[in-house]
Amino acid sequence: MSDWRIYRGAGLPHDGARHLPDPPPWREFTARSPDGATGPDSLDGPDDPDGMVGTPAGSPGAPDSEEVDNARRLGVKRRLVESFHPRPDEVEAVNAALQLRRPLLVTGNPGTGKSTLAHAVAHELRLGRVLRWPIVSRTTLQDGLYHYDAIGRLQDVQLDRAVSGDAVRQPPIGSYIRLGPLGTALLPSADGLPRVLLIDEFDKSDIDLPNDLLNVLEEGEFTIRELERRVEREPATDVLTDDGTPVTVTGGRVRCTAFPFIILTSNGERDFPAALLRRCIQLDLKPPGEKQLAAMVAAHLGEEALEEGAELIERFLQREPGEVVATDQLLNALYVTQRAANAEPVTRNRLAEMLLRPLDRPR
């Protein structure tokens, strides 16, 4: 297609949206498998020449959500990522956190790979799906531990009573308790391996959350009050994990047997209390250098993108000191300008300028 644009602003309806190109790998929400295979290797295959539609995660024959999520974070061409080595201080900080069973507090500018580090560790050490707890200003510790749907339980009892007309047996309380990401990470480990938990954008939290976390991070356990009150009648109860898997909680208490590998990410927009910092290994993540950037581009867009986008990559590396431009902005610019390869140079330059706008520059 000579014109890379789908929307043309002409005001006339057309079917151009049916011809959207494949999304960039980091915005792919379905797993593609040209040869019909599933599992890790299926995400490493060549591009689908026939425009095969991706299979949604969770569908029969599709790779699971862990594979799709890791592909988005690490790059579909995963073998290139596996040959890429992070800086020595990053490797040392991860190992210190693993061996000391302490959280890793990662601070850095947006787009420096803080969240991706959790997925890279989980992938290399085969620790399974990364549990993700996104933080906003209203997030509380309770959100991370568990949620009890008391209203839903009451409504089900009332509905059953209205249908049967008689007194009904109350549904199991565990059906209305769902562990949060932190609560799931602290479950006893059947294989002795730690789970991986990403507490993302931690500096966006309410001022009380860092202090509220202290006891849980120190003790590696918490109680479910609604179950603790019923221990004599019901010593063990099945509840749901963060991803909906049933699990048994005994005595109303969740206590880890292998402390999870926890990464807390921060953009450095606030300070944290000393009591939290004492319990964490701290890592300041620097922007990627030339070698790391080349590996990221190759992992997501292929080796050819390094040659075709050499000018944009050089512009990114030569930006002014202190100027905040995220790595995914560069990936976006490379992807779109490649799609617009037949456009006028002025158009491609305008696109690059728009997509590489510094995040700290006022409009």
Side-chain angles (χ1 to χ4, degrees):
M1 180 165 51
S2 58
D3 190 348
W4 71 281
R5 300 171 302 169
I6 299 296
Y7 168 73
R8 298 185 178 89
L12 299 175
H14 58 83
D15 294 328
R18 297 184 182 277
H19 305 289
L20 275 171
D22 292 340
W26 57 94
R27 296 298 297 167
E28 174 68 86
F29 295 93
T30 57
R32 295 181 179 275
S33 177
D35 57 1
T38 60
D41 292 338
S42 69
L43 296 173
D44 292 322
D47 293 336
D48 182 2
D50 301 320
M52 177 183 291
V53 177
T55 305
S59 301
D64 60 22
S65 59
E66 177 191 337
E67 293 300 332
V68 177
D69 201 25
N70 281 345
R72 286 176 52 212
R73 291 288 183 177
L74 302 179
V76 175
K77 297 176 173 58
R78 184 178 299 166
R79 280 187 288 269
L80 292 173
V81 176
E82 291 173 345
S83 66
F84 166 67
H85 299 287
R87 296 184 178 96
D89 59 331
E90 298 169 19
V91 175
E92 291 161 3
V94 168
N95 279 282
L98 283 167
Q99 296 186 34
L100 292 172
R101 277 68 170 179
R102 290 292 189 183
L104 179 63
L105 175 59
V106 184
T107 304
N109 289 331
T112 51
K114 300 184 296 294
S115 301
T116 299
L117 183 59
H119 292 266
V121 173
H123 171 64
E124 180 173 327
L125 300 183
R126 297 179 178 175
L127 297 179
R129 183 177 72 91
V130 175
L131 298 162
R132 184 170 177 267
W133 185 15
I135 303 297
V136 297
S137 60
R138 301 177 304 278
T139 301
T140 65
L141 175 61
Q142 189 67 38
D143 297 327
L145 294 178
Y146 72 95
H147 172 69
Y148 171 49
D149 188 5
I151 295 177
R153 189 178 185 216
L154 177 60
Q155 289 174 337
D156 286 349
V157 170
Q158 292 174 337
L159 180 60
D160 289 345
R161 184 177 295 131
V163 171
S164 66
D166 301 319
V168 295
R169 182 180 179 184
Q170 289 191 355
I173 188 173
S175 301
Y176 302 90
I177 295 177
R178 191 183 191 99
L179 300 180
L182 177 57
T184 301
L186 291 172
L187 285 169
S189 174
D191 56 10
L193 296 176
R195 294 176 177 84
V196 178
L197 171 64
L198 172 64
I199 305 180
D200 213 5
E201 305 285 356
F202 192 52
D203 51 344
K204 303 294 190 297
S205 70
D206 177 83
I207 192 171
D208 293 325
L209 183 58
N211 287 313
D212 293 343
L213 271 172
L214 296 179
N215 186 66
V216 175
L217 295 180
E218 189 66 31
E219 303 300 331
E221 65 177 8
F222 67 97
T223 59
I224 301 177
R225 296 185 300 273
E226 292 78 6
L227 299 185
E228 199 174 33
R229 290 194 294 262
R230 302 167 56 93
V231 168
E232 293 185 1
R233 288 177 291 167
E234 199 172 350
T237 306
D238 288 340
V239 302
L240 299 176
T241 64
D242 182 56
D243 57 3
T245 303
V247 65
T248 302
V249 173
T250 304
R253 181 179 296 272
V254 174
R255 181 180 178 84
C256 68
T257 53
F259 190 80
F261 177 66
I262 301 175
I263 286 187
L264 306 97
T265 71
S266 169
N267 293 328
E269 297 177 358
R270 61 175 285 191
D271 294 327
F272 295 112
L276 176 74
L277 298 178
R278 180 178 68 81
R279 290 167 169 83
C280 295
I281 306 301
Q282 299 179 56
L283 170 64
D284 290 326
L285 205 60
K286 300 177 179 63
E290 184 176 358
K291 181 180 178 181
Q292 289 179 308
L293 196 62
M296 291 179 185
V297 172
H300 285 292
L301 297 174
E303 294 283 355
E304 64 279 1
L306 291 173
E307 299 179 8
E308 297 174 6
E311 182 180 344
L312 282 181
I313 295 173
E314 183 63 23
R315 184 192 306 183
F316 180 87
L317 289 170
Q318 298 300 322
R319 63 191 183 279
E320 295 181 11
E323 198 173 57
V324 180
V325 182
T327 307
D328 56 351
Q329 289 179 266
L330 173 63
L331 294 174
N332 290 338
L334 289 171
Y335 179 83
V336 173
T337 53
Q338 284 181 357
R339 292 288 178 179
N342 296 325
E344 294 291 332
V346 64
T347 299
R348 300 184 68 198
N349 288 335
R350 187 167 60 245
L351 282 169
E353 289 289 341
M354 176 184 68
L355 295 171
L356 289 173
R357 179 195 298 269
L359 302 178
D360 55 346
R361 178 184 297 174
R363 291 184 178 277

